[in-house]
């Protein structure tokens, strides 16, 4: 088990990539603190982990509440004695061009996709320093590495997440703390539901993906979970400040004309 006896915290772990990553980490021996703003969803992820023989604890967490983030990290550090992995996965997608969104939409994107990650990193780094190291993984998106039409708020926040990740990685590398960004493309999760409805159904979305993504398909959440395992384990022990793209080649084509989805 590559994560034996490590303690991990995952935000937005009640579904999609967050759930799949949590299950994968637990499978590899980690004790996973599963957080989500929906407590029932967090409990379901913890149940799936327990049913598979793993160890987990479910916690309700709204990542837009700075105090709640700090309190959670303080509590887990106190009760578990250490925090080895923090996966800041919570994200929100606000679509629209600069003329179509309002300032509140930009602020909402920033609050979840950047500010919440900053607050969690700031809270956990002293814990990781004291214990001699740790790993932080911030979920960004392949939208953070290329431009796309009518996605001003989303792309701005995701690009900022990558830049922040790199800067923090530079600042804390000497303390044995690695900080990287996960940049998924289209992943088959409920996060895509609004876009599915906009296109007129699942078949229409699958047709669009076949044209957008060079590999011709979605990723599964389980595929992205394997990328997560690599990034939070010692298998990537010499990697920090890196934005790892897993998007079936979409970013090679320079973007899409329908909006890029990164799934929670």
């Amino acid at each position: 088990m590559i994560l034996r006896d490590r303690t991990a915290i995952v935000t937005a772990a009640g579904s999609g990539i967050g759930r799949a990553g949590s299950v994968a980490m637990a499978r590899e021996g980690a004790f996973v603190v599963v957080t989500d703003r929906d407590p029932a969803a967090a409990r379901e992820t913890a149940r799936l982990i327990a049913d598979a023989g793993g160890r987990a604890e479910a916690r309700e967490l709204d990542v837009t509440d700075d105090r709640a983030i700090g309190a959670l990290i303080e509590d887990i550090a106190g009760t578990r004695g250490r925090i080895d992995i923090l996966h800041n996965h919570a994200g929100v997608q606000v679509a629209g061009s600069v003329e179509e969104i309002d300032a509140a939409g930009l602020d909402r994107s920033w609050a979840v996709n950047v500010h919440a990650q900053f607050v969690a990193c700031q809270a956990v780094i002293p814990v990781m320093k004291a214990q001699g190291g740790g790993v932080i993984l911030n979920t960004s998106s392949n939208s953070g590495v290329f431009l796309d039409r009518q996605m001003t708020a989303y792309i701005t926040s995701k690009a900022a997440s990558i830049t922040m990740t790199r800067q923090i990685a530079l600042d804390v590398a000497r303390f044995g703390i690695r900080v990287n960004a996960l940049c998924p493309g289209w992943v088959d999760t409920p996060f895509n539901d609004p876009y599915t409805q906009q296109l007129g159904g699942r078949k229409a979305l699958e047709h669009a993906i076949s044209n957008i993504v060079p590999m011709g398909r979605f990723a599964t959440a389980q595929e992205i979970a394997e990328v997560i395992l690599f990034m939070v384990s010692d298998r990537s022990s010499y990697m920090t400040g890196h934005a790892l793209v897993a998007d079936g080649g979409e970013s090679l084509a320079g973007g899409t004309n329908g909006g890029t989805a990164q799934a929670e």
Side-chain angles (χ1 to χ4, degrees):
M1 291 186 177
I2 62 176
L3 299 178
R4 184 183 298 276
D5 295 331
R6 298 186 192 184
T7 296
I9 298 174
V10 184
T11 67
S15 64
I17 294 171
R19 172 174 286 175
S22 297
V23 170
M25 283 191 238
R27 184 190 74 216
E28 292 297 331
F31 179 93
V32 185
V33 181
V34 175
T35 78
D36 201 277
R37 65 181 178 179
D38 180 350
R43 289 193 296 270
E44 176 63 13
T45 299
R47 184 194 67 78
L48 291 171
I49 289 171
D51 286 352
R55 299 173 298 153
E57 175 183 354
R59 294 287 192 97
E60 180 178 1
L61 179 66
D62 180 349
V63 298
T64 64
D65 185 337
D66 292 2
R67 291 185 179 181
I69 293 173
L72 173 75
I73 288 174
E74 182 179 4
D75 184 44
I76 298 305
T79 57
R80 297 289 304 171
R82 61 187 300 112
I83 299 172
D84 301 285
I85 299 163
L86 170 65
H87 183 188
N88 285 314
H89 179 62
V92 63
Q93 184 181 99
V94 176
S97 71
V98 66
E99 295 178 294
E100 293 168 336
I101 62 170
D102 56 17
L106 181 65
D107 290 346
R108 180 169 172 245
S109 293
W110 191 267
V112 178
N113 297 342
V114 184
H115 181 93
Q117 292 184 353
F118 168 82
V119 171
C121 288
Q122 189 177 58
V124 83
I125 282 170
V127 177
M128 291 182 171
K129 277 186 178 181
Q131 69 195 24
V135 179
I136 298 171
L137 180 61
N138 294 325
T139 295
S140 177
S141 169
N142 67 343
S143 290
V145 297
F146 68 82
L147 302 179
D148 203 351
R149 295 177 179 86
Q150 298 178 324
M151 297 294 288
T152 301
Y154 189 67
I155 285 178
T156 298
S157 63
K158 291 300 186 178
S161 172
I162 291 172
T163 299
M164 181 178 69
T165 295
R166 296 180 67 200
Q167 180 62 53
I168 294 172
L170 178 62
D171 292 341
V172 302
R174 66 186 183 276
F175 301 109
I177 303 170
R178 299 190 298 108
V179 191
N180 291 295
L182 172 68
C183 301
W186 286 94
V187 185
D188 193 5
T189 78
F191 197 62
N192 298 322
D193 287 351
Y195 194 54
T196 303
Q197 294 172 11
Q198 179 183 338
L199 285 178
R202 172 75 182 194
K203 288 185 177 180
L205 179 62
E206 290 177 350
H207 177 73
I209 296 303
S210 69
N211 291 312
I212 291 169
V213 179
M215 288 182 68
R217 64 174 180 85
F218 292 102
T220 67
Q222 289 70 32
E223 285 178 301
I224 304 302
E226 294 302 317
V227 178
I228 291 169
L229 278 181
F230 169 71
M231 298 185 80
V232 302
S233 73
D234 292 341
R235 290 176 177 174
S236 59
S237 59
Y238 202 56
M239 178 188 293
T240 196
H242 186 69
L244 185 57
V245 176
D247 70 353
E250 182 188 6
S251 53
L252 300 175
T256 74
N257 58 13
T260 298
Q262 166 256 308
E264 287 190 58

